[in-house]
Amino acid sequence: MHNPSGRLQAAVLALLAAGSLSAAAAGRPVQAWITTGDQSRLLAREADLRFGPGQPATTVIEIDPSRRYQEMQGFGASITDASGILIQQRMNPAQREALLRELFGPSPGLGMAFTRLTIGASDFSPTHYSFDDMPAGRSDPELKHFRIEAQRATVLPTVKAALAINPELKVMASPWSAPGWMKSSDSLVKGTLKPQAFDAFARYLGRYVSVMKEEGVPIFALTLQNEPHFEPDNYPGMRVEPEKRAAFIGRHLGPLLQREHPGTQIFDWDHNWDEPDSPLTVLADKTARRYVQGVAWHCYGGNVKVQAEVRAKFPDKDTWVTECSGGRWSPDWANNLMYFTRTLIIDTTRGWARGVLLWNLALDENDGPHLGGCNDCRGVVTIDSRTGEVTRNVEYYALAHASRFVRPGARRVASSEAAGQLSNVAFRNRDGSLALVVANGGKEARAFSVRLGKEQFSYTLPPQSVATFAWDGKP
C-alpha cells in the first residue's frame, strides 16, 4: 500500500540514527506563554512552537546552557501583617485555600518559592509594635516579655500554610525597628540602636528564629534592619550606619547565629541601589564579612547595575532583591508590566540575584491596612475586604512569568542580549528543562529567533509584552 508518511517517518528515524538530525530539529515542542501590555492576553498559553533548522530572524537570542551562573531560589512577595489579616480574616476557608494554592502551588500555580516576614510591625500593620514592648523608661534585657502573639492569628498561619503547599519555600525576616527601649529614641519611630543594646538585640533576633522554628517555620535568612538609612516619622524605623552594622554583625549577631542557628544566614543592607558604599563598608570589615552571606537590595533608588558591581568586589557573597512595590503613583498597566519584568525579573537576575521579592503579597481595596508609611502601595493581589474576592494585579503576571517556570535549584544560563527594546534571561532547571523570559519594551512588535546550538525557533512578540518559553532541555 502506498504510504508516504511512513516513508517520511522512516527517513527521519534514519537521519536521527545517523546523527544528522537531532530530536530538537525534528520538532521538539516549545511552550509559549504571553502577557500583553493591552491585557488582551494574561499569562495565556499560545500554540506550541517547534525547534527546527529554518532561516533565523534578524534578531537572534543565543542560548548556551553550558555557561552557568547563580543558583536560583526563586520569586515571591512578603507576607506582611496586612497580607496575613486579609488572607486569614477577610476570606472564607475555600477562598483562602484556593488563593494560597494559586500563589505557592506548582503549575498552574505560581510556585512562589521565596517570602519575607516582618519581625514586629511595618507600616503595613494595624498597630505599631515589636515582640518585646515595654512602657516608656523601662527595659527587658532578659527578654522575659518576648511574644509573637501579634502575628499568631494572621502571619503565622499564612506562612505555615504556604510551607505546607510548597516545602521548598524559603522564609527570610527583617525588623523595621528594635524594641523602643533598645534605641536612642526610646520609641519604635526614629532613632538608632544603642551600643549597650547590641547584645540584647542579637538575642532578640535569635529568640525570634527559635520561636519560629518551634512553630514549624525555619528562618532561612535575617537582615538586621529594613532600610537602615531611612528614619520614617510615622511608622517603625531605625537608622543603622554601616560601621555600626559591621560591629553588631561581627561581634554579636554573627557569633550568636553560628552558635545557635547555623542554618540561618545574614544579609546586609536591605535597602536601595543608590548607596552601594554602605554594604561595601560592611563587607570590608573582615570580622563582619565572615558572617554575611549576601547583600539584599530594594528598588526605590539608584540603578540595578550596582548589584553586579558589588558582587564583582565580593564574588563569594550572594545577591538578593528583597523589596519592590508598585502603586497608584504609576497607573499605566503596560509600563508597569515592562518595569517589573525587565527590571525586577530580567535585570536583577542577570545581575546575579538568587531571589526576587515584591513587597506586599496582598492588600485591600484601600491599599491597606496600614498605619503611616505608604498610602498608595499595591499588593501582588488585591483582596476585597468585604467579599474576599481576588484581583490579580500587574505584579502578579510579571512574577508568574518567572516563578511558574524557574524552580528552586535552577541555574541562570548564558543568553545573548538582543538589541533595542528586547531583553531576556534564561534558566535551566534541575530536571534539565529550560525557561526563557523575553520582554519587548518597544512600541512595535518584534520578531526574533531563539537559537540553541544548530536549532532554533522564531516568534513575534507584541509591543510592551512579555513571553516565557519553556522546553525540555534533554537531547
Side-chain angles (χ1 to χ4, degrees):
M1 181 178 179
H2 182 61
N3 185 1
S5 62
R7 289 203 303 273
L8 177 59
Q9 184 180 25
V12 169
L13 290 172
L15 285 168
L16 285 169
S20 301
L21 186 65
S22 74
R28 179 168 37 167
V30 178
Q31 293 183 15
W33 301 78
I34 184 170
T35 296
T36 55
D38 63 8
Q39 304 180 61
S40 61
R41 285 173 282 180
L42 299 171
L43 199 62
R45 176 80 178 266
E46 302 278 277
D48 282 1
L49 306 169
R50 297 270 170 182
F51 275 102
Q55 184 68 27
T58 302
T59 300
V60 177
I61 299 171
E62 297 270 5
I63 308 292
D64 183 358
S66 69
R67 293 170 56 198
R68 302 186 303 168
Y69 302 97
Q70 76 271 27
E71 181 178 307
M72 300 299 298
Q73 172 53 41
F75 304 83
S78 294
I79 302 174
T80 56
D81 282 337
S83 302
I85 289 167
L86 291 167
I87 290 169
Q88 295 297 325
Q89 299 178 353
R90 298 294 184 267
M91 306 185 88
N92 64 44
Q95 290 173 321
R96 183 182 312 124
E97 174 76 8
L99 178 62
L100 290 175
R101 289 203 172 277
E102 179 180 345
L103 294 173
F104 295 97
S107 184
L110 269 60
M112 289 186 179
F114 188 29
T115 193
R116 181 180 183 220
L117 308 181
T118 68
I119 304 175
S122 70
D123 45 332
F124 285 91
S125 304
T127 62
H128 295 161
Y129 65 91
S130 78
F131 290 143
D132 196 346
D133 288 325
M134 296 297 293
R138 293 179 56 188
S139 62
D140 182 26
E142 297 180 5
L143 306 180
K144 293 181 179 179
H145 298 278
F146 184 97
R147 301 287 186 277
I148 65 163
E149 298 312 302
Q151 295 184 355
R152 189 169 293 281
T154 53
V155 171
L156 188 59
T158 304
V159 69
K160 289 174 74 171
L163 279 163
I165 293 167
N166 182 4
E168 289 192 286
L169 177 70
K170 294 293 188 185
V171 182
M172 68 166 290
S174 308
W176 264 238
S177 173
W181 53 270
M182 298 185 189
K183 298 171 62 183
S184 60
S185 61
D186 197 27
S187 168
L188 295 174
V189 178
K190 290 195 170 186
T192 189
L193 186 65
K194 295 187 290 190
Q196 59 267 36
F198 278 16
D199 179 67
F201 189 44
R203 288 185 288 105
Y204 173 88
L205 295 176
R207 180 74 62 85
Y208 171 79
V209 175
S210 295
V211 170
M212 294 300 282
K213 182 178 180 180
E214 292 168 3
E215 294 289 345
V217 181
I219 300 300
F220 157 67
L222 292 173
T223 61
L224 69 91
Q225 173 60 37
N226 172 73
E227 299 187 343
H229 283 194
F230 181 46
E231 285 182 82
D233 60 9
N234 61 2
Y235 67 94
M238 183 170 74
R239 188 170 186 90
V240 191
E241 298 292 351
E243 295 81 6
K244 185 175 282 190
R245 298 201 310 277
F248 176 74
I249 292 169
R251 301 172 199 164
H252 299 274
L253 183 61
L256 183 147
L257 291 180
Q258 187 177 75
R259 182 174 65 249
E260 299 182 7
H261 305 288
T264 300
Q265 300 184 16
I266 297 173
F267 301 160
D268 183 51
W269 192 219
D270 212 8
H271 209 165
N272 294 332
W273 295 316
D274 57 358
E275 295 186 77
D277 286 346
S278 190
L280 286 172
T281 298
V282 173
L283 292 174
D285 184 292
K286 293 182 180 180
T287 304
R289 185 167 69 241
R290 292 175 50 205
Y291 300 107
V292 175
Q293 284 78 32
V295 177
W297 300 97
H298 295 187
C299 74
Y300 307 116
N303 192 305
V304 64
K305 292 180 180 179
V306 302
Q307 291 182 186
E309 295 167 3
V310 170
R311 186 192 177 279
K313 295 179 180 179
F314 295 94
D316 61 327
K317 305 305 178 186
D318 290 331
T319 301
W320 302 84
V321 174
T322 52
E323 186 182 316
C324 191
S325 183
R328 294 184 190 272
W329 62 81
S330 178
D332 187 292
W333 203 94
N335 285 345
N336 287 323
L337 178 66
M338 287 300 95
Y339 176 78
F340 284 103
T341 305
R342 299 181 77 196
T343 303
L344 263 293
I345 300 298
I346 295 173
D347 291 349
T348 62
T349 55
R350 291 189 81 103
W352 294 94
R354 293 190 57 203
V356 178
L357 289 173
L358 295 185
W359 184 205
N360 290 275
L361 181 66
L363 293 177
D364 68 16
E365 69 279 7
N366 298 311
D367 308 318
H370 72 94
L371 182 58
C374 183
N375 59 13
D376 56 357
C377 282
R378 184 171 52 237
V380 173
V381 299
T382 299
I383 298 174
D384 191 303
S385 62
R386 300 153 296 188
T387 66
E389 182 180 351
V390 174
T391 301
R392 293 153 190 83
N393 295 320
V394 61
E395 295 82 1
Y396 172 101
Y397 295 101
L399 275 176
H401 272 279
S403 63
R404 181 184 282 186
F405 305 97
V406 181
R407 307 309 310 136
R411 296 288 291 267
R412 179 170 68 89
V413 298
S415 61
S416 59
E417 296 190 68
Q421 293 290 321
L422 212 58
S423 52
N424 75 86
V425 67
F427 305 90
R428 184 168 193 161
N429 289 305
R430 289 182 296 203
D431 65 1
S433 62
L434 285 105
L436 171 69
V437 182
V438 183
N440 176 13
K443 300 298 184 182
E444 304 292 335
R446 286 290 302 275
F448 59 93
S449 294
V450 176
R451 187 155 55 203
L452 182 64
K454 296 179 180 179
E455 307 152 3
Q456 66 181 31
F457 65 85
S458 297
Y459 189 80
T460 299
L461 187 58
Q464 293 190 292
S465 298
V466 55
T468 298
F469 306 97
W471 66 92
D472 184 348
K474 299 175 183 178

